[in-house]
Amino acid sequence: MVERSPKAKGGSRGKRGADLQKVLRERIAKQEIAPGSKLREQELAKEYGVPRALVREALFALEQRGLIERIPNRGAVVVRLDLSQVFEIYDLREVLEGLCARLATQNTSPESWQDLVEMFEGPMVEFVKQNDYESFLTGYAIFRRRLIEAAANPILAGMLDSIYEKTQAIIRRIIVLPGRAQLGLSEHQAVLAAMRRGDADEAERLRRVNMRSGKDYLKRYQSFVL
C-alpha cells in the first residue's frame, strides 16, 4: 500500500472541508436548513462523516459569508434577514448585476451568447408555460454563471455569490408569484438580445431593470413571501 504524503492528506482534508462548506451553503440558500436553525458541530460531523474540526472550519467560513451567526448560549444559528435587509441587498444586486452584464458583454464576442439566446427563446419559454420553476431556475443559474465567468472580475464574482446565497430563497418564492416568471423571462431575453448585439450600455441598463422589477414584486407581495 502506498502511503500518501502529509501534503496529499492535507489536500484531501481541504477538499472535504470545501465540499462540506459548499453543501451547507446550498442547503441554507434553498432554505433546506431554515433561518433560525441551529447548526451543531457534533450532529453535522455525524451526518456528513467528517471530523468536528472540519465542521468547525466550515461554520467559520459560513459566518464570514454572513450566512450564520454565533449567539451566546445558542451556538451557530442560520441568519434570518429582515425586510429592510432584503431590500438593501436588492439595491446592491441591481448595481453589481448590471456591472456584471456590462463587463461580460465587453469581454466577449456577441456570437458567444447565441446559445443562451436560443435557450431563453426555446426551452425556457416552455418551462414558464408548464410552470416548471425548478427547470427555469436551473436555466437562470446557467445564465448567471456565464455572465460572472465572462465578466472575469474575481472580486465582483465573490460579492455576487455572497449576495445570491442570501437571496436565493426569496428568488424561489418570487418566481411563483402571478406573472413574475413570464416577466422575468422577457427581461432576460432583452438582456441577452443586447449582449448578442454587443451593446454593453444597454445590457447593463436592462439587467438593472430586471433586478428592480424583482424588488418591486417583492414589495407588492411582501406579506405573502416574507
Side-chain angles (χ1 to χ4, degrees):
M1 181 179 294
V2 178
E3 276 288 327
R4 289 184 300 173
S5 68
K7 182 177 180 180
K9 292 179 180 178
S12 176
R13 173 192 171 93
K15 183 179 185 303
R16 291 168 69 196
D19 289 344
L20 176 60
Q21 181 195 149
K22 181 180 179 182
V23 169
L24 292 176
R25 282 167 51 194
E26 290 177 350
R27 291 186 64 192
I28 290 172
K30 294 180 180 180
Q31 288 200 343
E32 293 173 3
I33 302 177
S37 298
K38 297 180 182 178
L39 296 178
R40 298 180 175 87
E41 290 181 10
Q42 186 171 353
E43 292 178 2
L44 290 171
K46 182 177 180 181
E47 179 179 357
Y48 292 102
V50 297
R52 288 185 64 175
L54 282 183
V55 174
R56 200 170 299 120
E57 292 172 7
L59 293 181
F60 177 75
L62 295 179
E63 184 178 17
Q64 294 297 106
R65 298 180 76 91
L67 295 176
I68 68 171
E69 57 184 337
R70 304 277 183 172
I71 298 178
N73 302 319
R74 291 192 65 192
V77 177
V78 177
V79 168
R80 187 190 304 276
L81 296 176
D82 62 35
L83 189 58
S84 62
Q85 289 175 311
V86 173
F87 289 141
E88 288 166 0
I89 287 173
Y90 262 87
D91 288 340
L92 186 57
R93 273 195 77 194
E94 179 185 330
V95 176
L96 296 179
E97 296 280 7
L99 174 60
C100 185
R102 167 184 284 280
L103 294 176
T105 306
Q106 292 174 340
N107 291 345
T108 56
S109 66
E111 296 79 13
S112 65
W113 301 105
Q114 182 61 32
D115 63 321
L116 285 184
V117 169
E118 293 173 1
M119 184 176 81
F120 273 79
E121 291 179 351
M124 293 291 274
V125 173
E126 293 303 312
F127 297 151
V128 171
K129 287 180 180 179
Q130 298 165 11
N131 296 325
D132 186 353
Y133 300 120
E134 287 293 343
S135 295
F136 183 87
L137 289 174
T138 297
Y140 172 71
I142 293 171
F143 161 85
R144 186 177 170 278
R145 180 50 50 188
R146 282 277 296 277
L147 262 65
I148 290 174
E149 291 174 353
N153 186 312
I155 295 176
L156 176 62
M159 295 174 71
L160 283 172
D161 281 345
S162 179
I163 289 173
Y164 186 62
E165 288 169 352
K166 295 181 176 68
T167 58
Q168 191 173 344
I170 298 297
I171 291 171
R172 295 176 71 85
R173 296 179 186 182
I174 293 175
I175 196 66
V176 301
L177 295 174
R180 178 55 197 167
Q182 181 60 55
L183 178 59
L185 174 64
S186 63
E187 290 170 347
H188 286 94
Q189 288 172 336
V191 172
L192 284 167
M195 298 179 74
R196 183 64 179 81
R197 297 192 304 271
D199 190 339
D201 289 343
E202 186 68 353
E204 178 178 18
R205 186 188 72 80
L206 290 169
R207 185 63 167 140
R208 292 186 65 157
V209 167
N210 173 230
M211 291 293 101
R212 206 175 306 134
S213 75
K215 179 183 175 182
D216 290 342
Y217 253 83
L218 181 57
K219 281 187 173 179
R220 191 184 315 170
Y221 292 97
Q222 60 187 270
S223 61
F224 297 96
V225 299
L226 292 176

